[in-house]
Structure formats: structure tokens, C-alpha cells
């Protein structure tokens, strides 16, 4: 399965594009978490082994907590990310894009016993390959989704004081498009601003950063900043 996007429309009418993660990055994150859990178990065995037979009971409690509550605690308290998911840039969210809660985190991890059937997470793998958003059975029941935790770069400041008259008379809808670009541009990355600005190359006669600068200048002229 190729990684894809799940579109969710909020009650406010805002469309969210959730980049769903496929089985490969999820499996790598699980392996990292498994290594950490095995390390915790190994260290606990060494420490509790000093207590002799009295440490057996404590060791059983540690095994129980590490197996069942390690992913639940991290997902519910660390923004849906276990250490393995954080290293792979993944996190668990609710199906509507909201942060995952305690009940959902517990449910999706409790149902791992079903995803493991008949062996080696076979049921979970088949489910994630058939589902459009790579969800295993636990995710479907809990109403959760594992997504790529995309971090956008800070937008590059633009020369707002630049003023440039449009070379031709613009129609009202064209003026509105320029003003909208100037208002929303600072929230976009530099690459995205240049991509949009190059759509207006016949108007600006430029490409790249120069096209962005000229569009800002024309928007400032339309807004009377001259």
C-alpha cells in the first residue's frame, strides 16, 4: 500500500488532509518500541534478580505493565507517539484528526491480540493492506489512524513594503486573487509561494522569488499601500 491522505471535514467546514502511514513505517516503529521494551525487561530482570525469589512477583508486574501499558501511556500522554513512532515521524490520532484519548489508546492496543492472529501480526497486516488508510483491526474498532507527523518549515518573510502597479488592467476576480495570495502567503512555505506565484508568470513576467515579490507588490498597490 502506498501512503495516502484521508480527508476529514471539521464542523467548521475546514478540510484536513491526514497523511496516513502504511504498514512498512508502522512495522519499523513497532520494532523500535519492541527493542526498548525488551531493554526495560532485561534491566528489570537484572535489578530484581538481586532480590532472589521475592523479586519474581515484582518481575511479573513489570512484564504486565511493559506489555500492556507501555504503548497506552505514551500514546495517551505523548501526543499519540511512542518512542518508536516519534523516531519514524508517526503518531496516532482519532479518525477525525483530533488527539487520541485514553479509551481509544487502550482499545487499539488491547485488540493487538486479534491483529496478531494467527501469528506474526498476519491479521493486522492483511487488514492494513486492504484498508484505504492502512488501519489494522484495532484502529478500526478504536476509531484511530496512524499518520505521518508532518512538520512544516517556518515561512520566509516577504517584502511587504514593495509596491508595484499591475502592467495590465485586472478584472475584479483577478484583483481578489492577488489580495488573497498576499494575505495567505506568509503562512505558506517559500516553495509553495513560488509554485503559486509562477501560475501568474504571464502577469509578472518572472519566476521563483522574483515572481513572489512582484505579486506582493501588486497586491500592495491594489490595497492602496503607495
Amino acid at each position: 500500500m502506498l501512503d495516502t491522505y484521508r480527508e476529514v471535514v471539521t464542523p467548521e467546514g475546514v478540510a484536513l488532509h491526514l497523511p496516513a502511514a502504511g504498514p512498512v513505517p508502522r512495522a519499523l516503529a513497532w520494532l523500535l518500541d519492541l527493542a526498548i521494551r525488551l531493554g526495560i525487561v532485561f534491566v528489570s530482570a537484572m535489578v530484581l534478580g538481586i532480590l532472589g525469589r521475592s523479586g519474581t512477583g515484582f518481575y511479573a508486574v513489570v512484564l504486565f505493565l511493559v506489555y500492556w501499558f507501555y504503548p497506552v501511556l505514551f500514546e495517551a500522554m505523548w501526543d499519540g507517539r511512542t518512542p518508536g513512532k516519534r523516531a519514524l515521524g508517526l503518531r496516532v490520532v482519532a479518525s477525525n484528526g483530533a488527539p487520541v484519548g485514553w479509551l481509544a489508546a487502550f482499545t487499539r492496543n488491547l485488540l493487538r491480540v486479534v491483529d496478531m492472529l494467527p501469528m506474526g501480526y498476519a491479521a493486522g497486516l492483511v487488514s492494513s493492506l486492504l484498508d484505504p488508510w492502512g488501519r489494522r483491526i484495532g484502529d478500526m474498532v478504536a476509531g484511530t489512524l496512524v499518520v505521518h507527523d508532518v512538520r512544516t518549515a517556518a515561512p520566509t518573510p516577504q517584502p511587504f513594503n514593495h509596491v508595484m502597479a499591475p502592467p495590465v488592467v485586472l478584472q475584479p476576480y483577478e484583483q481578489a486573487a492577488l489580495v488573497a495570495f498576499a494575505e495567505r502567503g506568509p503562512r505558506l512555505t517559500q516553495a509553495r509561494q513560488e509554485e503559486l506565484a509562477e501560475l501568474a508568470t504571464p502577469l509578472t513576467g518572472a519566476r521563483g522569488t522574483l515572481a513572489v515579490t512582484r505579486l506582493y507588490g501588486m497586491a500592495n498597490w491594489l490595497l492602496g499601500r503607495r
Side-chain angles (χ1 to χ4, degrees), residues 38 56 68 127 131 143 148 211:
L38 290 177
T56 304
W68 287 108
S127 174
D131 185 76
H148 291 281

Side-chain angles (χ1 to χ4, degrees), residues 81-100:
R81 297 173 295 182
T82 62
K85 287 185 176 66
R86 184 182 180 90
L88 269 294
L90 306 176
R91 68 186 179 100
V92 182
V93 297
S95 56
N96 61 357
V100 65

Side-chain angles (χ1 to χ4, degrees), residues 151-222:
R151 301 293 184 179
T152 56
T156 304
Q158 296 295 334
F160 292 103
N161 58 343
H162 178 68
V163 178
M164 176 181 176
V168 296
V169 177
L170 300 177
Q171 297 297 321
Y173 71 91
E174 295 173 325
Q175 297 179 23
L178 279 180
V179 173
F181 172 80
E183 291 176 346
R184 300 173 185 174
R187 296 193 294 269
L188 305 175
T189 63
Q190 178 67 21
R192 181 58 174 160
Q193 291 182 55
E194 292 179 3
E195 178 184 359
L196 293 174
E198 288 180 357
L199 296 177
T201 296
L203 174 65
T204 62
R207 302 181 66 86
T209 304
L210 181 57
V212 175
T213 302
R214 290 184 177 179
L215 282 187
Y216 274 107
M218 294 178 193
N220 287 335
W221 188 90
L222 291 173

Side-chain angles (χ1 to χ4, degrees), residues 1-5 18-30 85 88-91 108 124-125 127-136 139 145-148:
M1 191 196 85
L2 296 178
D3 293 334
T4 185
Y5 284 84
L18 305 177
V24 173
R26 293 181 62 173
L28 294 176
W30 182 84
K85 287 185 176 66
L88 269 294
L90 306 176
R91 68 186 179 100
R108 70 183 303 274
L125 177 60
S127 174
S128 65
L129 290 174
L130 295 178
D131 185 76
W133 301 290
R135 296 174 299 175
R136 59 180 178 81
D139 289 314
L145 182 69
V146 179
V147 300
H148 291 281

Side-chain angles (χ1 to χ4, degrees), residues 26-40:
R26 293 181 62 173
L28 294 176
W30 182 84
L31 288 174
L32 287 176
D33 284 321
L34 177 63
I36 294 173
R37 293 158 83 174
L38 290 177
I40 295 173

Side-chain angles (χ1 to χ4, degrees), residues 94-116:
S95 56
N96 61 357
V100 65
W102 282 95
L103 180 60
F106 185 80
T107 301
R108 70 183 303 274
N109 286 288
L110 178 65
L111 288 174
R112 286 184 185 276
V113 294
V114 178
D115 285 303
M116 290 179 180

Side-chain angles (χ1 to χ4, degrees), residues 8-27:
V8 176
V9 180
T10 67
E12 295 78 15
V14 179
L16 301 178
H17 297 276
L18 305 177
V24 173
R26 293 181 62 173

